[in-house]
Amino acid sequence: MLGIKNLNLVIFGIGNVGGTLVEQINAARPKLEAQHLKLNIPVVTNSRLAFFINSEDTNNWECDFENCSVPYNIQDIIDFVHNKKLDNLIAVDATASRDLVNHYELLVKSGFHIVSANKIANTLSYDFYESLRATLKAHNKYFMYETNVGAGLPVIETVRRLYGSGEEIKKIRGVFSGSLSYIFNAFSDENIPFSKVLKQALDLGLTEPDAREDLSGNDVARKLLILARELNLKPEIKDIRIESLVPKQLNGKTTLHQFNTRIGELDGQFLDIKSKQSPGHVLRYVGELDVAKNTLEVKLVSEAKNSSIGQLKGADSVFEIYSDSYNEFPLVIRGAGAGKNVTARGLLCDIIKLSESLSSNPVCLSAVGN
Ligand SMILES: NC(=O)c1ccc[n+]([C@@H]2O[C@H](COP(=O)([O-])OP(=O)(O)OC[C@H]3O[C@@H](n4cnc5c(N)ncnc54)[C@H](OP(=O)(O)O)[C@@H]3O)[C@@H](O)[C@H]2O)c1
């Protein structure tokens, strides 16, 4: 008879993704326990407060967090789990915080594996990227970050498995951003001004509050960088050619309010690009890594409507992987590439994958990212 495996998760960030993750863990408990897996949550935090949980019941965590959370620093959390002699420790990063990433190495040295939705650790300098992996290796710890690209879609795992099996990956191309997918799918299909589509995306909560963060292409570039590094390439973010969709006159020097009142200024430019396309083509904002040419680009392209990228609908993402075996017709991964439910589920999948690996020899951990 198998014993129950206990994992102890410290969840940093209880916003859209982290909060949904706690709910999904609570709902999945009976199923997981039937599979001999128990996920304990000894601590949840936001940027200022932590709730140190002394009971096994986390069903009222939100209310308890409101009433019982206290200011904390990272050492308080490490001391708490060590004093309780908890093992199988996992720090779950559901923040977009650089500060927390600065604590990753300390967390690893203090016994934590890391599961992260936060892209920052993988998109800082290559020196940091290598140093983190060296620390993980020295301490036999895992770093799982499938949700960094395509949220719950199995993009990183697929790329890593193909590459790790000796497959030569030639190109990765796709629509990596849910918000920009929605914007260009709707703008291409309907006869409406670009600013109206942008406003719809904003109202639906698909873009960041400042839509320039999406339109700048930086988030797509970060995902491209993460995929390139999975192929053992060593680019930095500055090596990516990014076609920003924010016109110069509306860039960071303009306030958000000014940008929102002047978004009509984007209409002429995008209508012009749309009308100059060949028949049967649609606009898409793509990320593209060409391994042979050693180029990483984020750009607006005109795509045949019947291609996998051209057929995209709603706010879906699509990733095309071209390789030796997937040469003429790429391997295609498509589906919701953002949203709190799919992202939290992706984190939970990473946690469960990690739990399966914990019983095996830690020296083999490179298979999942360190
Ligand atoms: N939402 C998606 O669809 C999606 C998809 C893929 C990946 N992601 C990634 O998932 C992460 C979380 O996204 P989200 O949408 O859940 O963001 P969110 O709703 O803004 O929540 C962020 C949470 O992180 C907390 N936080 C910030 N700095 C922290 C720190 N230093 N230590 C501990 N907690 C801290 C915030 O606390 P305060 O309230 O105190 O600031 C908040 O609870 C981001 O990295 C995002 O890029 C999101």
Side-chain angles (χ1 to χ4, degrees):
M1 172 92 175
L2 277 173
I4 289 248
K5 195 186 289 176
N6 275 280
L7 302 190
N8 291 296
L9 317 176
V10 172
I11 301 189
F12 293 94
I14 45 171
N16 291 315
V17 173
T20 307
L21 175 64
V22 181
E23 298 297 341
Q24 288 183 357
I25 290 173
N26 283 337
R29 269 186 209 294
K31 253 192 195 162
L32 296 175
E33 290 186 20
Q35 295 164 52
H36 308 281
L37 182 62
K38 191 148 176 245
L39 301 184
N40 306 307
I41 307 178
V43 191
V44 292
T45 85
N46 66 17
S47 61
R48 294 171 301 106
L49 301 170
F51 172 38
F52 295 91
I53 306 174
N54 283 304
S55 110
E56 285 199 349
D57 180 2
T58 50
N59 283 315
N60 293 320
W61 71 275
E62 258 183 305
C63 181
D64 292 339
F65 187 89
E66 286 268 320
N67 297 323
C68 307
S69 54
V70 292
Y72 75 101
N73 63 40
I74 203 78
Q75 196 57 47
D76 297 332
I77 288 177
I78 294 168
D79 292 345
F80 180 78
V81 296
H82 285 177
N83 288 340
K84 288 200 154 259
K85 301 198 176 356
L86 301 179
D87 59 4
N88 288 339
L89 296 167
I90 302 178
V92 180
D93 182 352
T95 79
S97 164
R98 167 79 191 257
D99 287 347
L100 183 57
V101 168
N102 289 339
H103 293 312
Y104 275 14
E105 297 210 19
L106 173 63
L107 286 165
V108 170
K109 288 175 187 166
S110 306
F112 284 85
H113 302 279
I114 294 175
V115 172
S116 181
N118 181 355
K119 290 181 269 298
I120 292 179
N122 286 323
T123 54
L124 292 172
S125 70
Y126 196 78
D127 284 348
F128 177 85
Y129 189 86
E130 270 195 323
S131 159
L132 176 59
R133 278 154 180 77
T135 307
L136 288 156
K137 196 165 186 183
H139 294 268
N140 287 330
K141 291 290 174 275
Y142 286 99
F143 177 30
M144 315 281 284
Y145 47 87
E146 181 61 65
T147 51
N148 278 196
V149 180
L153 299 175
V155 180
I156 293 178
E157 179 177 345
T158 305
V159 168
R160 185 183 293 149
R161 277 179 191 267
L162 281 175
Y163 180 74
S165 68
E167 182 81 5
E168 191 192 331
I169 300 203
K170 296 176 174 170
K171 196 191 275 187
I172 302 177
R173 187 168 186 269
V175 172
F176 298 180
S177 150
S179 56
L180 291 164
S181 174
Y182 175 87
I183 289 167
F184 284 104
N185 299 347
F187 181 61
S188 295
D189 284 353
E190 296 166 39
N191 201 10
I192 47 174
F194 187 81
S195 56
K196 201 165 170 196
V197 180
L198 189 59
K199 175 88 176 43
Q200 281 171 358
L202 195 65
D203 292 345
L204 287 168
L206 292 172
T207 65
E208 295 294 326
D210 186 342
R212 287 174 294 188
E213 287 183 32
D214 302 78
L215 295 171
S216 71
N218 291 334
D219 191 57
V220 176
R222 277 193 280 271
K223 291 173 184 166
L224 199 56
L225 182 68
I226 292 168
L227 292 178
R229 287 177 169 179
E230 289 301 320
L231 302 180
N232 225 0
L233 303 172
K234 300 177 181 172
E236 301 288 355
I237 199 85
K238 67 174 171 45
D239 299 322
I240 303 179
R241 205 177 310 145
I242 306 172
E243 179 184 345
S244 168
L245 303 179
V246 185
K248 281 203 176 66
Q249 76 272 17
L250 296 180
N251 70 11
K253 288 181 194 122
T254 336
T255 64
L256 176 57
H257 178 71
Q258 285 166 333
F259 174 74
N260 283 337
T261 52
R262 291 173 56 190
I263 50 174
E265 291 177 30
L266 281 83
D267 289 346
Q269 160 195 347
F270 285 108
L271 185 60
D272 191 42
I273 300 171
K274 182 174 163 180
S275 62
K276 285 185 176 147
Q277 293 181 101
S278 307
H281 280 64
V282 286
L283 291 176
R284 297 291 183 258
Y285 193 63
V286 301
E288 185 174 304
L289 161 67
D290 187 318
V291 177
K293 290 189 192 149
N294 194 22
T295 54
L296 294 101
E297 291 178 283
V298 176
K299 57 191 176 184
L300 188 62
V301 297
S302 181
E303 195 75 16
K305 214 174 177 170
N306 59 3
S307 67
S308 58
I309 290 183
Q311 285 173 24
L312 212 55
K313 294 273 175 265
D316 274 5
S317 292
V318 64
F319 299 83
E320 293 183 340
I321 303 167
Y322 294 83
S323 69
D324 284 342
S325 311
Y326 300 96
N327 196 358
E328 191 182 350
F329 300 107
L331 188 160
V332 178
I333 302 169
R334 174 179 163 176
K340 61 182 185 177
N341 290 321
V342 288
T343 309
R345 190 65 66 189
L347 284 173
L348 188 47
C349 288
D350 268 355
I351 292 164
I352 292 168
K353 225 185 295 169
L354 198 159
S355 81
E356 287 161 0
S357 311
L358 285 181
S359 54
S360 57
N361 179 356
V363 174
C364 304
L365 297 190
S366 58
V368 286
N370 63 349

